[in-house]
Amino acid sequence: EEQLAAENANSSLELSTKVQMLTKKLADKEMELAAAEAEAGKKLADKDMELAALQSDATLAVELAEELDLQASLMEKMRARLAELEKAGARSPRKKGGASPRVHPGV
């Protein structure tokens, strides 16, 4: 009976030691997981910042493209108006000679 009690005590001690080891391993793994989650969170935040910068650049590019289209449209209108003025100028009689000389009395 004493031997049985001693074996039970020994088994209990072994089980207790195993439970302590497993508990420590679990705590270590939980710490590793927390560190990995923190690192992943940091990487995600960095990627979010990169994405926001790219979205901002894309928005600016679209705005610049729209402004360029507007400027090109205005340029076409100006060219058309210039062509009209040149045609009208070619049809109207031109003055011969240059500007008349100015008269400065007393010179």
Side-chain angles (χ1 to χ4, degrees), residues 10-54:
N10 197 24
S11 288
S12 267
L13 184 60
E14 285 177 14
L15 282 175
S16 177
T17 303
K18 284 183 180 178
V19 167
Q20 285 177 348
M21 273 181 23
L22 290 173
T23 301
K24 184 181 180 330
K25 282 185 179 179
L26 180 60
D28 290 347
K29 290 295 180 189
E30 286 174 342
M31 284 179 57
E32 287 176 25
L33 179 59
E37 285 174 340
E39 182 65 22
K42 182 184 178 307
K43 285 181 180 177
L44 182 59
D46 290 347
K47 291 296 180 190
D48 283 345
M49 284 177 49
E50 287 177 24
L51 179 60
L54 288 172

Side-chain angles (χ1 to χ4, degrees), residues 37-87:
E37 285 174 340
E39 182 65 22
K42 182 184 178 307
K43 285 181 180 177
L44 182 59
D46 290 347
K47 291 296 180 190
D48 283 345
M49 284 177 49
E50 287 177 24
L51 179 60
L54 288 172
Q55 287 172 332
S56 177
D57 289 348
T59 300
L60 182 59
V62 168
E63 289 171 359
L64 289 174
E66 289 170 353
E67 180 66 22
L68 192 56
D69 284 346
L70 180 63
Q71 293 298 329
S73 174
L74 290 173
M75 185 67 85
E76 272 308 308
K77 288 177 183 173
M78 283 190 234
R79 283 190 181 122
R81 181 69 181 133
L82 180 60
E84 288 173 14
L85 291 173
E86 286 175 343
K87 277 185 187 177

